[in-house]
Amino acid sequence: MNRLGLALQRVQNTFNRNADYYARKIGLTGTQMLIIEYLASFAQNKSIYQKDIEHEFNIRKSTATNVLRLMEEKDLITKKVDQHDTRLKAIILTEKAVKLRPKITNYFVNSENSYAEILGADTKNELVKNLQKLNEAISDK
């Protein structure tokens, strides 16, 4: 069967399975690894809030709440009340998460390099661009 949705679902399941397999080795889930990498990459320049996580990972508020609550329980993040808007809480990586970051980054860099090796760098970049375009076109605004 030559259906785009099915092909995307299969690849996504494989990506998730591989990430979860590695994440279990360091006591995390694949989603927790993604969030730690995101926070480590962007939180130096600006505060990151739950709504940013929801948007970046295209997840519902309830899903983000549960993932972040578990990350707080595992001492991977803390939440700090925003100085300008007390309704908002910035999400901050703990020392424990910061120490895991090199392993997480290494996993994602190696994965990306592997994908580029399989597809070729230009094809990989074009695929990412086209998937972003497709996501924007079919997402609820």
Side-chain angles (χ1 to χ4, degrees), residues 103-115:
K103 292 178 181 180
I104 294 168
T105 300
N106 190 50
Y107 170 79
F108 287 121
V109 167
N110 288 339
S111 295
E112 288 291 317
N113 289 340
S114 173
Y115 308 149

Side-chain angles (χ1 to χ4, degrees), residues 12 15-38 57 67 71 74 76 104 107-108:
Q12 185 61 44
F15 283 167
N16 290 343
R17 197 174 304 116
N18 291 343
D20 283 336
Y21 176 77
Y22 179 78
R24 276 193 302 276
K25 292 179 181 181
I26 59 174
L28 302 174
T29 67
T31 302
Q32 291 169 343
M33 281 198 325
L34 284 165
I35 291 172
I36 290 170
E37 184 67 13
Y38 174 71
F57 297 101
V67 170
M71 290 180 76
K74 289 179 82 170
L76 297 169
I104 294 168
Y107 170 79
F108 287 121

Side-chain angles (χ1 to χ4, degrees), residues 4 8 122-138:
L4 178 61
L8 290 173
D122 291 340
T123 301
K124 178 195 148 274
N125 292 337
E126 190 66 24
L127 177 60
V128 170
K129 188 173 96 180
N130 285 324
L131 288 173
Q132 288 169 337
K133 181 179 176 182
L134 179 62
N135 188 54
E136 288 171 15
I138 65 175

Side-chain angles (χ1 to χ4, degrees), residues 56-68:
E56 179 67 23
F57 297 101
N58 194 20
I59 57 177
R60 290 182 182 11
K61 183 177 183 175
S62 59
T63 302
T65 298
N66 287 332
V67 170
L68 294 173

